């Protein structure tokens, strides 16, 4: 089952308070005996020279390293204190066999996409979060048996290929590093075909993530 939830978590809270234009996309998340919680994330909207100092003084951050800087964002690796409620929430997610598929934030809560076995496990996870003082809103639930990655987002193979290429070549960067014509040339299709494929792929992504379509169940809470 796929669940999209918003967690009212404190993670990186002071950094978001300092930088209103900051947005974060998690690339990886894990924990272990020696590391309570580790994030690898892309930061967008704030120059790294300003962001570095803020992250190092963030009370929710134990250590942070800048890994890479690109025109579209900065990649960081951060380790977080074991005492944070957010760390307990992540551990609770693991206990309920939940897998974090994606996580983003612009300072107004963390939007998280989870794969979790069933509604009962999700309900118990929500209850545990509330006990820890972390509010949870379940935005949508999608029941799936043996879901594949393509099924989750509704993309065709050709749509995924074009979107992946567009991302790699910097089509979504500001300013753009490539054009639709160049993407079409690489795929050996017409620009018109590329445009239609891109729009259909983006429509599918938005309808199946941000704005769930009519085939999905919306749920305000567990």
């Amino acid at each position: 089952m796929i669940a999209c939830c918003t967690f009212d978590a404190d993670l990186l809270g002071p950094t978001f308070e300092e930088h209103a234009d900051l947005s974060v996309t998690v690339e990886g998340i894990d924990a272990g005996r020696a590391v309570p919680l580790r994030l690898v994330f892309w930061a967008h909207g704030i120059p790294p020279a300003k962001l570095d100092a803020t992250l190092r003084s963030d009370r929710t951050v134990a250590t942070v390293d800048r890994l890479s800087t690109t025109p579209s964002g900065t990649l960081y690796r951060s380790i977080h204190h074991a005492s944070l409620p957010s760390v307990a929430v992540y551990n609770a997610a693991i206990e309920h066999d939940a897998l974090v598929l994606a996580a983003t934030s612009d300072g107004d809560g963390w939007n998280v996409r989870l794969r979790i076995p069933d509604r009962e496990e999700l309900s118990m996870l929500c209850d545990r979060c509330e006990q820890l003082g972390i509010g949870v809103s379940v935005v949508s639930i999608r029941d799936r048996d043996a879901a594949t990655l393509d099924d989750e987002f509704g993309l065709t193979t050709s749509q995924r290929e074009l979107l992946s290429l567009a991302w790699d070549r910097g089509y979504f960067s500001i300013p753009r590093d490539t054009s639709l014509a160049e993407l079409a040339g690489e795929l050996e299709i017409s620009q018109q075909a590329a445009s239609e494929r891109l729009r259909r792929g983006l429509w599918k992504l938005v309808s199946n993530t941000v704005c769930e379509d009519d085939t999905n169940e919306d749920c305000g809470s567990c």
Side-chain angles (χ1 to χ4, degrees):
M1 187 180 84
I2 305 298
C4 296
C5 308
T6 298
F7 292 81
D8 184 19
D10 55 348
L11 199 63
L12 299 181
T15 298
F16 283 114
E17 290 176 5
E18 183 71 20
H19 302 291
D21 294 331
L22 174 66
S23 63
V24 165
T25 302
V26 172
E27 184 88 357
I29 180 171
D30 67 282
R33 291 183 179 179
V35 179
L37 183 68
R38 175 169 46 206
L39 289 184
V40 176
F41 63 90
W42 285 99
H44 309 278
I46 304 297
K50 291 184 177 181
L51 193 54
D52 288 356
T54 309
L55 285 168
R56 291 193 180 100
S57 63
D58 189 317
R59 59 175 172 76
T60 70
V61 176
T63 64
V64 64
D65 296 292
R66 191 202 304 177
L67 302 180
S68 178
T69 303
T70 70
S72 59
T74 307
L75 186 65
Y76 290 95
R77 179 179 58 231
S78 58
I79 294 176
H80 300 269
H81 301 290
S83 59
L84 285 179
S86 297
V87 175
V89 167
Y90 181 70
N91 291 333
I94 293 174
E95 291 171 8
H96 290 285
D97 202 20
L99 175 65
V100 176
L101 300 176
T104 63
S105 181
D106 58 6
D108 186 21
W110 282 88
N111 302 308
V112 181
R113 188 178 179 89
L114 295 169
R115 185 194 298 278
I116 194 164
D118 51 45
R119 292 167 184 261
E120 182 178 0
E121 293 288 350
L122 179 60
S123 180
M124 289 190 291
L125 174 59
C126 289
D127 289 344
R128 179 59 181 145
C129 290
E130 296 290 347
Q131 293 169 7
L132 293 166
I134 302 293
V136 184
S137 297
V138 178
V139 179
S140 66
I141 297 173
R142 176 173 301 170
D143 293 308
R144 288 188 180 273
D145 295 322
T148 65
L149 189 60
D150 282 345
D151 286 338
E152 285 178 22
F153 300 107
L155 297 174
T156 66
T157 300
S158 60
Q159 288 167 353
R160 181 177 292 278
E161 179 185 34
L162 177 54
L163 285 167
S164 178
L165 181 65
W167 179 267
D168 289 341
R169 297 293 186 268
Y171 181 78
F172 298 113
S173 300
I174 302 173
R176 284 177 174 164
D177 295 329
T178 191
S179 67
L180 189 60
E182 290 171 318
L183 295 175
E186 284 200 52
L187 295 175
E188 298 183 347
I189 59 177
S190 69
Q191 185 171 340
Q192 178 66 25
S195 176
E196 292 178 2
R197 189 176 300 177
L198 184 66
R199 283 189 285 108
R200 286 172 181 159
L202 290 173
W203 185 89
K204 273 295 184 183
L205 279 178
V206 173
S207 67
N208 288 332
T209 55
V210 179
C211 302
E212 298 285 335
D213 61 28
D214 292 337
T215 63
N216 301 321
E217 294 189 50
D218 291 333
C219 180
S221 66
C222 294

